[in-house]
Amino acid sequence: MSRVLEMKAGAMSLSDLRQIHEKPTAVNLSAQDRGRVALAGALVDKIVAAGEAAYGINTGFGLLAHTRIPNDQLELLQRNLLLSHAAGVGEALPDPVVRLILALKINALAQGHSGVTMGLMNSLLALLEHEVYPVIPAQGSVGASGDLAPLAHLSAVLLGLGQVRVGGARLPASEGLRIAGLQPIKLRAKEGLALINGTQVSTALALAGLFGAEDIFAAAVVAGAMSVDALKGSDSPFDERIQRVRGQPGQIAVAREYRELIAGSAIRASHLDCTRVQDPYSFRCQPQVMGACLDLIRNCSVTLGIEANAVTDNPLLFTDAGEVLSGGNFHAEPVAFAADTLALAIAEIGSLSERRTAVLVDPKMSGLPAFLVNNSGLNSGFMIAQVTAAALVSENKTIAAPASVDSIPTSANQEDHVSMATHAARRLSAMVDNAAAVIGIELLAAAQGIDFHRPSRSSLRLEEVHAGIRRDVPFYDSDRYFAPDIDAARSWVKSGRFGALLKRILPSRSAS
């Protein structure tokens, strides 16, 4: 049974959006939103009845915008638009992303600038409510003139065309409509264009990347704190005074989290008089690097929060003045920049984590048994786990190259500059997967290092994390088939379980 979210169009919070991404969620529209939709639909009817030429209402599209379409062919015009634009390829987008796309499209159309009918809105709402998710190929959008191809695949389902997923099973769209209690719709003037024009696919993918970035960020902070104790490192670099004199807000916030995670550690107390002067940068500079990543994540959350509540189709109707204005809100440059920025943060979070693992497995650096296993030589321990982390980090560095600097003209040069936001955002999922494995390996390594310091114990909070790790993965006392341990650790990171420990500083969790 889907949860129900009472939506106020144009005012969805990041916590609302995370909820939709994480679990099936139905949406209720307010009476005010329904009234705005009706007013915009009436303006379209008035334009058609008066015979006025208006782009996308009674004209062709793109280069064909000067072609006037007779009133008796307006429904066919909108239908043909969906059929011709459903030209995507590749793997289907996952259900959580499709849920977000549906919710974002509803959120945009309900603001009363798109000229659709409540009949169409009710159909979109029913798909969300009954968990009938259109099968949307992931590739085929350049992130300008909207996400045309993927949104056409979503919209074609309303005509009874294409496929849907229900409970993970693929079904014909016609069967999906039946499950949702719907019949194929007949599109009215402007409706097809309103459906496929917009940045909802790019934005949904970027939001999924944002939520993933928050999850790996939280896990990396916890893993980094555990690694400090595993190394018998210093907590002096987290002193509030150091952060205050630099003034970077992310650094200040993250250092506080490290201080509180480590506070009360008996392992730390056991080496207060040691002769080591400074720890390696990957330990000592965690507030500076992770703080900078947090600032990037927060900045991107603002951009994506705005875009999630934006009206991004074209043309737009302004019912108070009775005007139809053609512009370019469909250009997803803000989303492309945000996605590229998140990619930088994700790459750096993983990079710093791998360096800490590399230190822990090196007996010259850590003072721990070589590769974190007894009887090393006979046992290889974490040797190749660290190699796996290194490989994934390097892969992420390659994937992180910016997409937004690229552009290629389309539609006979009418659409001569595009954002590439869609694949800029889509690649974040692979980067999060890679980073989650890297951080999972560090969590295993740090837990192993802490075990070597027994009977001394870490802080109360870190011992709780350690106990959670050991419930799933036992101490690595001799070589065993390692892959299941890493898979388990990656799943912890991706589950968001560490987000609760840093809830107050993560954008989509701090308001929930």
Side-chain angles (χ1 to χ4, degrees):
M1 184 71 176
S2 297
R3 294 175 297 178
V4 179
L5 177 67
E6 299 295 330
M7 175 189 284
K8 181 181 178 184
M12 295 188 76
S13 68
L14 285 173
S15 59
D16 291 337
L17 295 164
R18 182 181 264 274
Q19 172 183 315
I20 292 167
H21 181 255
E22 290 181 345
K23 294 182 180 178
T25 304
V27 169
N28 281 341
L29 286 185
S30 68
Q32 180 183 17
D33 292 335
R34 292 175 181 273
R36 290 190 294 192
V37 170
L39 284 174
L43 179 54
V44 172
D45 292 341
K46 179 182 176 183
I47 291 168
V48 171
E52 302 171 10
Y55 172 71
I57 295 176
N58 49 21
T59 73
F61 309 103
L63 191 67
L64 306 176
H66 299 296
T67 303
R68 182 68 180 272
I69 309 299
N71 286 2
D72 62 358
Q73 293 185 326
L74 295 184
E75 179 188 336
L76 181 60
L77 171 70
Q78 300 297 318
R79 180 182 177 87
N80 284 347
L81 181 68
L82 299 194
L83 299 182
S84 65
H85 284 51
V89 298
E91 296 294 320
L93 294 176
D95 287 351
V97 171
V98 176
R99 273 200 303 274
L100 272 176
I101 296 168
L102 282 167
L104 294 176
K105 179 55 74 175
I106 291 166
N107 189 31
L109 297 179
Q111 294 179 55
H113 295 288
S114 303
V116 301
T117 62
M118 273 310 305
L120 184 148
M121 295 294 294
N122 289 334
S123 294
L124 293 173
L125 290 164
L127 294 181
L128 262 186
E129 178 185 356
H130 294 279
E131 301 172 35
V132 177
Y133 303 130
V135 172
I136 303 175
Q139 295 169 283
S141 174
V142 294
S145 208
D147 294 312
L148 296 172
L151 286 173
H153 282 276
L154 180 150
S155 305
V157 166
L158 300 177
L159 306 178
L161 302 172
Q163 293 182 312
V164 298
R165 270 197 304 258
V166 180
R170 284 201 185 200
L171 300 171
S174 56
E175 177 65 10
L177 292 181
R178 186 194 66 77
I179 292 170
L182 300 171
Q183 294 290 326
I185 67 171
K186 292 185 176 181
L187 296 168
R188 296 179 57 177
K190 179 69 167 62
E191 288 191 317
L193 185 59
L195 281 167
I196 70 169
N197 209 224
T199 66
Q200 286 79 33
V201 174
S202 299
T203 305
L205 287 164
L207 284 167
L210 170 69
F211 303 147
E214 289 180 319
D215 292 340
I216 65 165
F217 175 88
V221 171
V222 173
M226 290 183 68
S227 290
V228 169
D229 260 2
L231 183 68
K232 288 193 172 180
S234 174
D235 58 358
S236 295
F238 310 130
D239 191 292
E240 188 271 338
R241 292 166 293 182
I242 295 173
Q243 328 312 321
R244 187 175 67 241
V245 298
R246 192 177 201 185
Q248 294 288 353
Q251 176 179 332
I252 292 169
V254 171
R256 179 180 64 176
E257 301 300 329
Y258 283 110
R259 290 195 301 273
E260 294 188 5
L261 284 167
I262 297 171
S265 168
I267 295 174
R268 174 65 186 117
S270 71
H271 61 93
L272 287 173
D273 298 325
C274 72
T275 57
R276 182 189 297 156
V277 178
Q278 294 186 130
D279 296 325
Y281 285 3
S282 56
F283 290 77
R284 190 185 352 148
C285 298
Q286 287 187 80
Q288 289 76 17
V289 177
M290 295 298 284
C293 291
L294 177 60
D295 284 334
L296 293 185
I297 289 170
R298 285 172 164 176
N299 290 340
C300 292
S301 76
V302 173
T303 297
L304 296 177
I306 292 170
E307 193 71 9
N309 287 292
V311 181
T312 55
D313 57 304
N314 182 61
L316 297 175
L317 286 76
F318 295 88
T319 56
D320 52 350
E323 292 186 63
V324 180
L325 300 179
S326 185
N329 280 0
F330 50 71
H331 200 295
E333 196 83 345
V335 181
F337 284 166
D340 280 347
T341 302
L342 283 172
L344 297 176
I346 293 167
E348 281 297 276
I349 292 166
S351 179
L352 198 69
S353 173
E354 182 277 330
R355 288 291 81 205
R356 290 190 295 269
T357 298
V359 169
L360 294 180
V361 302
D362 183 348
K364 299 185 300 296
M365 298 288 289
S366 68
L368 295 165
F371 301 109
L372 299 174
V373 67
N374 288 317
N375 201 12
S376 53
L378 176 64
N379 294 306
S380 295
F382 280 67
M383 179 189 294
I384 303 305
Q386 185 268 324
V387 173
T388 296
L392 294 172
V393 165
S394 284
E395 184 175 322
N396 268 3
K397 291 174 186 176
T398 302
I399 301 173
S404 57
V405 296
D406 185 28
S407 180
I408 188 167
T410 61
S411 194
N413 281 310
Q414 175 73 7
E415 297 157 8
D416 59 347
H417 183 277
V418 297
S419 72
M420 301 300 180
T422 320
H423 68 262
R426 179 165 50 84
R427 57 81 136 87
L428 298 177
S429 174
M431 294 189 70
V432 167
D433 283 347
N434 289 342
V438 172
I439 297 158
I441 290 168
E442 185 191 358
L443 285 164
L444 294 174
Q448 190 81 355
I450 286 173
D451 282 331
F452 280 119
H453 297 317
R454 297 302 189 213
S456 296
R457 300 183 67 79
S458 186
S459 68
L460 178 61
R461 295 177 74 186
L462 294 182
E463 285 292 342
E464 289 174 352
V465 173
H466 181 277
I469 292 171
R470 287 290 173 252
R471 279 193 292 271
D472 293 339
V473 176
F475 176 75
Y476 197 102
D477 56 352
S478 61
D479 283 344
R480 60 175 182 252
Y481 190 53
F482 210 153
D485 294 357
I486 297 172
D487 287 342
R490 173 190 259 174
S491 73
W492 307 330
V493 177
K494 293 194 66 181
S495 72
R497 68 196 265 183
F498 300 102
L501 296 174
L502 275 74
K503 179 178 177 180
R504 62 185 172 186
I505 67 171
L506 299 176
S508 75
R509 294 186 182 275
S510 58
S512 60

